[in-house]
Amino acid sequence: MTGAGWAGARPTLPVHALALVLAAAALAHTLWHGVDQRGAALAFGLLTAVGEFARWSGAGEREPAPLGAAGALAYALLGENAGRATHHDVPQVVAVVAAASLLGCVPHVARGRGPTADHLARRVLTVAFAAVCFQPLYNQGRWQEWTGGGAGYAALVVALLVLTALWDAVLAAAMAHARTRWPFGPLLRDELRGTPGIGSAVCATGAVMALAVAVAGLWALPVFSLPLLLTQLSFRRYAAVRATYRQTIASLARATEIAGYTPAGHARRVAALSRAVGRELGLSEPELTVLEYAALMHDIGQLSLVDPVPAGATAVLAPEDQRRIALLGGAVVRQTGVDADVAVVVERQADPYREQPVSARIVRAVNAYEEKAREAGPGGPLRALEELRLGTARDYQPEVVESLARVLARSGGVARGHLG
Amino acid sequence: MGPIPPRALCCVALAVLGALACLARLPDGRTPWAALALLAALCAGCEQLSRWRPAGRHAPQGMGAFFPVLLAGAFLLPPSAAALVALPGALLTRVEQRPRRIRRVWRAAQLVVAVWTASRVHGALGGRESVVRAESPYALVPAGAAVLALCAVLTLLDGAVLVAAERVPARTAWRGLFARSLAPLAVHGLAGLMMAVLWRSPYGPAAALLVLLPMYVSWWVFAQYHRERAAHQATIRALVQAVDIKDGYTRGHSERVGRASMMIAREIGMDDERAEVLRFAGILHDVGKLGVPTRLLRKDGPLTPEERRVIELHPEYGHEMVRGIGFLGEARSAILHHHERIDGSGYPYGLVGRQIPEFARVVAVADAFDAMTSTRSYRRARPVAAALAELERCAGRQFDPRMVTALARALGRHGWHPAVTADEARPGVPAQTPGGSRRTESAP
């Protein structure tokens, strides 16, 4: 556990401080020594600023400003400009990118759209990494010497960009870990898994820009950023429709609450807790989405019942009844056109845990916990956990129950020290 | 699909002859076969990649994942060699509609002629030298001209075969075709130019391949977008079907109210975006009935005041359910207020006149109209004219007269065709892809 002690309120503070110091030093150095090749600096700075300005506001996206990222990386890896060698050094790269990103962020900050500090710190550190790998050796002529120019040089640029992407993923996972205290391993895996999507497009565009400017000069920049802009647009539309879809699923889930079959907020609470437990257990992002949808709709089978189950509590019913409702629910979910995996989880939620997929085990345990904790009043959470532990022989998987206990302890849902 | 009309066969034969003429000058000894083979393989590879399963069955058709490669070929190679690049990929294309073989041949011939023309135009403007000496932005001029030529030939041939095969009037066949395809082709053209410049640079063909990656990612995300959108529409449909099944006698009612609302919206000059939201309002207006016990909804005979009060809660239930769905916007207020009356005697809030949201006034009229014109367990359907007369009688007290007039005018112009696919589905077995959703997808 790194850094549990310092800065409880701002756990990502050290990263921010590092980025800030780096950017300030680079700016001071550049102002002192003057800017080398102003045209290129201005063009790349403008591209980065525009990319930053055009970023989307949707939270939780992997790379909110792909165009800005590609422009910044291309500047870090720029060796030649229209056939003539460039001489800008690492501080200049960092200074230009930091200044441009700050400038592009101003409208977002003014409109109060989302946190930008994390994003900016990541940008500065990533670009600094790429520039440190490339510029010193390039300016000494080493890279040309070793790769012999040509195709070897292109391969080098790509390899450096892949390294940079890895570094960026580590950085992002570390920051997410510091902020949320979720385990580092799964976070890093999620970051790496997401990289082939928008990450690869950013890297490829960065490489193409650096090489194309080397061959053709600066007019290539605006022309060659268009395809990436298109990618950004598709991603934005995708994100929008995904958000809408999630809202629709959530309101479908509310149908059981409004019909009086389940208590208000039950589906939402089970979904949130299930997601947290799934994350604890190291599920990947697509698996988490399936888990969340299944948890939201786990009670939907009750809509097919003529008479409501008392208080919607399925965990106290006879096993056959539980399984019957689960099957009805699976049938409803299949009709909705949601991913078939979701239907499977809903169908199997009442089976003994050894026969279940892991998502269904989580939904079963969390649902039972939610119902039991609610009934028992004050002190309910503790007693509910105890009951779940007693059921680990057949119904609930011990690992899931312990993971649930950890999640609850962390969020303060259960008093610490209950384990014994 | 009947037999192919002879005029269409003629059209295809002419295109094939043209394509052969384009390829005839190939064996003159100056063809860069290695580059040609590499580009052709790439082109076919892109085509196959788009059939790859993770990208999905729902991938949008005709995205032309291979156009950047084709255009790069046109910028790099002599015309007949560039035309040959298109051939293997086009012959391997998956074709959805029958007759497959002749469509494939047609597609190949069309691409060969178009690419040949583009490459010719590009060469005539000195494009090949500009690609090698790329320091000046002049390279954009021949590339732009080539893209225009490609687009022109493709749309010309597309329109011609439409006229020949389907006897579409020439004006409708070509209308908007050129403008629609130019924007995507221009982006592909820029990517192609990028490829060509890098190909001729010291960095070589490997660097050129990098250009394809963002294009492919973009295309893949677009496919995902379509898949997610289809899933979303299926879910909305499931919500509606759940209501219809529960309500027993109102099969297809929701879809029809959606359609009638849309007709009114068009008539009163609502813009397309709001009309689309209004259609959702019509479709989902009774979604709150999911919260009302089935026994009450299906009860034959008069309801007690207590039971009536429970049923009258459904607008509030519905609003509670959908209030989290952002894209429904104004439709949410229509779901809450569709049982309000102009004179203030409606529920849940007893709003009067213009206090009632516009959407709710539209849905109220559409709802009442469909209720009267469809058969229910306790009475037969009334004819459209009788229903309109009844609506007009209640206009000003129960309904907004403006909406009633609009519905009457729209019905006079387009008629009422109440058969929807939900009618054809057996009870409890919802149709997988009702026509209503198709219409949503093609709507702007």
Side-chain angles (χ1 to χ4, degrees):
Chain A
M1 288 278 131
T2 53
W6 22 260
R10 295 285 306 277
T12 50
L13 196 63
V15 180
H16 291 179
L18 181 63
L20 194 67
V21 169
L22 207 63
L27 271 172
H29 181 273
T30 311
L31 286 177
W32 186 258
H33 291 279
V35 180
D36 199 46
Q37 276 147 339
R38 295 187 182 191
L42 194 67
F44 276 97
L46 203 66
L47 181 65
T48 310
V50 167
E52 204 61 49
F53 174 71
R55 80 165 188 203
W56 52 50
S57 47
E61 287 308 323
R62 214 165 290 279
E63 177 53 74
L67 193 56
L73 288 177
Y75 191 50
L77 298 183
L78 184 67
E80 290 178 7
N81 180 356
R84 283 187 303 277
T86 59
H87 304 290
H88 56 277
D89 49 5
V90 178
Q92 180 171 334
V93 172
V94 175
V96 166
V97 167
S101 306
L102 269 178
L103 208 66
C105 273
V106 167
H108 294 290
V109 175
R111 264 181 276 173
R113 269 208 245 130
T116 45
D118 275 7
H119 170 67
L120 281 182
R122 233 175 96 188
R123 172 67 34 82
V124 168
L125 290 177
T126 308
V127 167
F129 176 85
V132 166
C133 287
F134 180 80
Q135 292 295 350
L137 286 172
Y138 175 81
N139 287 340
Q140 292 167 19
R142 292 285 163 77
W143 287 133
Q144 300 283 39
E145 206 176 294
W146 292 341
T147 60
Y153 180 81
L156 168 83
V157 169
V158 172
L160 283 182
L161 276 170
V162 170
L163 265 186
T164 310
L166 289 182
W167 160 250
D168 187 47
V170 170
L171 208 60
M175 285 168 92
H177 172 69
R179 209 177 322 111
T180 58
R181 308 256 117 243
W182 290 333
F184 181 74
L187 279 174
L188 180 61
R189 207 178 51 198
D190 262 355
E191 286 292 335
L192 289 178
R193 226 177 251 163
T195 305
I198 188 86
S200 67
V202 167
C203 281
T205 309
V208 166
M209 276 180 183
L211 297 176
V213 170
V215 177
L218 291 173
W219 68 270
L221 269 191
V223 173
F224 294 177
S225 45
L226 206 66
L228 191 63
L229 213 57
L230 204 73
T231 314
Q232 181 171 350
L233 219 65
S234 322
F235 261 98
R236 192 179 289 192
R237 286 174 72 179
Y238 178 43
V241 77
R242 225 174 32 185
T244 302
Y245 190 27
R246 181 181 298 248
Q247 292 168 353
T248 307
I249 301 264
S251 55
L252 188 61
R254 270 218 294 277
T256 51
E257 294 170 9
I258 286 158
Y261 289 111
T262 53
H266 170 66
R268 212 182 51 241
R269 283 193 300 270
V270 172
L273 252 185
S274 294
R275 211 181 154 89
V277 172
R279 201 175 271 289
E280 245 272 336
L281 291 172
L283 264 56
S284 70
E285 195 56 43
E287 287 168 332
L288 285 177
T289 304
V290 167
L291 175 62
E292 186 183 1
Y293 285 0
L296 277 172
M297 300 203 279
H298 75 276
D299 272 334
I300 207 130
Q302 294 192 41
L303 276 183
S304 317
L305 299 181
V306 181
D307 295 304
V309 178
T314 46
V316 294
L317 290 180
E320 316 75 86
D321 287 335
Q322 287 188 30
R323 210 159 309 156
R324 193 171 57 87
I325 295 176
L327 284 178
L328 285 172
V332 174
V333 174
R334 264 179 222 290
Q335 282 185 13
T336 62
V338 185
D339 193 344
D341 294 346
V342 177
V344 171
V345 175
V346 172
E347 261 165 21
R348 307 278 293 280
Q349 60 174 319
D351 294 354
Y353 82 80
R354 288 187 184 81
E355 298 163 21
Q356 286 177 314
V358 65
S359 317
R361 294 175 187 177
I362 297 175
V363 172
R364 174 162 205 190
V366 171
N367 178 43
Y369 166 79
E370 233 284 317
E371 287 173 2
K372 288 175 198 289
R374 192 183 59 230
E375 285 159 15
L382 271 182
R383 205 174 317 152
L385 267 183
E386 278 314 310
E387 279 184 43
L388 288 197
R389 290 209 175 93
L390 293 177
T392 49
R394 178 174 180 278
D395 294 341
Y396 314 114
Q397 191 187 14
E399 289 82 3
V400 171
V401 175
E402 286 323 307
S403 170
L404 174 64
R406 282 196 298 274
V407 168
L408 291 168
R410 207 180 303 139
S411 64
V414 177
R416 277 158 207 270
H418 66 279
L419 303 164
Chain B
M1 184 91 201
I4 308 157
R7 299 206 309 174
L9 279 180
C10 269
C11 195
V12 174
L14 279 177
V16 169
L17 279 181
L20 287 178
C22 292
L23 296 175
R25 301 214 20 221
L26 256 184
D28 65 352
R30 291 190 301 136
T31 310
W33 287 106
L36 195 157
L38 190 52
L39 282 170
L42 255 183
C43 199
C46 285
E47 189 52 42
Q48 296 303 308
L49 208 57
S50 61
R51 287 158 67 169
W52 186 45
R53 242 190 64 81
R57 290 156 290 150
H58 303 278
Q61 291 303 306
M63 280 288 288
F66 52 88
F67 268 117
V69 184
L70 275 190
L71 282 159
F75 300 154
L76 286 169
L77 304 174
S80 36
L84 188 61
V85 168
L87 201 58
L91 286 178
L92 288 173
T93 315
R94 175 178 52 172
V95 177
E96 289 292 319
Q97 288 166 297
R98 289 168 180 284
R100 296 226 171 88
R101 193 169 298 167
I102 196 149
R103 276 177 199 270
R104 214 172 272 158
V105 169
W106 163 255
R107 183 81 185 138
Q110 187 191 17
L111 279 176
V112 164
V113 173
V115 172
W116 185 86
T117 317
S119 181
R120 192 71 214 238
V121 168
H122 187 255
L125 289 171
R128 261 177 279 294
E129 293 76 51
S130 77
V131 166
V132 179
R133 306 161 46 77
E135 288 84 3
S136 92
Y138 175 73
L140 285 173
V141 176
V147 166
L148 278 179
L150 182 81
C151 190
V153 173
L154 282 180
T155 48
L156 194 74
L157 290 175
D158 267 337
V161 82
L162 267 184
V163 172
E166 322 237 323
R167 295 183 177 273
V168 180
R171 286 248 315 268
T172 40
W174 273 295
R175 192 195 306 147
L177 209 55
F178 184 78
R180 257 205 314 279
S181 18
L182 188 58
L185 275 181
V187 176
H188 289 152
L190 288 179
L193 179 62
M194 219 187 297
M195 280 187 76
V197 166
L198 285 174
W199 188 290
R200 283 269 183 264
S201 75
Y203 308 120
L209 287 189
L210 283 176
V211 175
L212 288 179
L213 203 58
M215 299 299 285
Y216 188 70
V217 169
S218 167
W219 177 85
W220 178 80
V221 175
F222 200 68
Q224 294 290 309
Y225 161 76
H226 271 267
R227 208 190 55 170
E228 197 83 359
R229 198 175 123 125
H232 178 232
Q233 277 162 354
T235 307
I236 296 256
R237 217 152 48 227
L239 259 175
V240 172
Q241 278 161 353
V243 180
D244 284 1
I245 288 168
K246 197 169 162 123
D247 215 348
Y249 57 63
T250 58
R251 190 152 303 283
H253 171 65
S254 306
E255 289 262 1
R256 289 194 301 269
V257 172
R259 189 179 312 169
S261 303
M262 192 87 165
M263 286 171 85
I264 298 176
R266 290 263 156 79
E267 199 61 41
I268 60 176
M270 217 177 256
D271 62 58
D272 281 352
E273 207 168 309
R274 283 187 80 211
E276 181 65 16
V277 174
L278 180 56
R279 199 176 68 86
F280 277 111
I283 289 178
L284 290 172
H285 72 283
D286 267 346
V287 76
K289 285 193 175 164
L290 279 181
V292 179
T294 314
R295 212 175 284 112
L296 286 188
L297 288 178
R298 295 193 179 173
K299 182 175 178 184
D300 282 332
L303 298 165
T304 65
E306 178 58 32
E307 288 169 337
R308 186 173 295 280
R309 216 165 303 133
V310 172
I311 289 189
E312 288 182 356
L313 283 174
H314 81 263
E316 283 164 279
Y317 286 161
H319 183 253
E320 178 61 24
M321 275 177 69
V322 301
R323 77 186 151 88
I325 308 183
F327 87 99
L328 285 179
E330 280 185 90
R332 291 174 289 192
S333 66
I335 291 166
L336 180 58
H337 293 299
H338 73 274
H339 279 297
E340 304 280 6
R341 294 173 170 210
I342 295 290
D343 62 3
S345 64
Y347 60 90
Y349 297 138
L351 300 184
V352 179
R354 301 195 73 83
Q355 287 179 327
I356 307 172
E358 188 182 22
F359 276 28
R361 282 178 271 146
V362 174
V363 172
V365 173
D367 186 19
F369 173 73
D370 185 71
M372 285 188 278
T373 53
S374 51
T375 301
R376 305 239 156 146
S377 59
Y378 49 85
R379 59 155 175 73
R380 290 185 56 80
R382 293 196 219 178
V384 170
L388 275 179
E390 177 68 19
L391 284 178
E392 269 154 21
R393 202 175 58 79
C394 300
R397 273 181 301 144
Q398 187 171 349
F399 304 116
D400 183 347
R402 183 163 151 250
M403 306 307 171
V404 175
T405 320
L407 179 64
R409 267 207 313 266
L411 288 173
R413 196 172 309 160
H414 308 291
W416 181 238
H417 314 286
V420 295
T421 32
D423 277 339
E424 292 147 20
R426 277 173 291 126
V429 185
Q432 280 303 302
T433 46
S437 65
R438 281 282 155 75
R439 220 159 293 122
T440 324
E441 276 174 334
S442 60

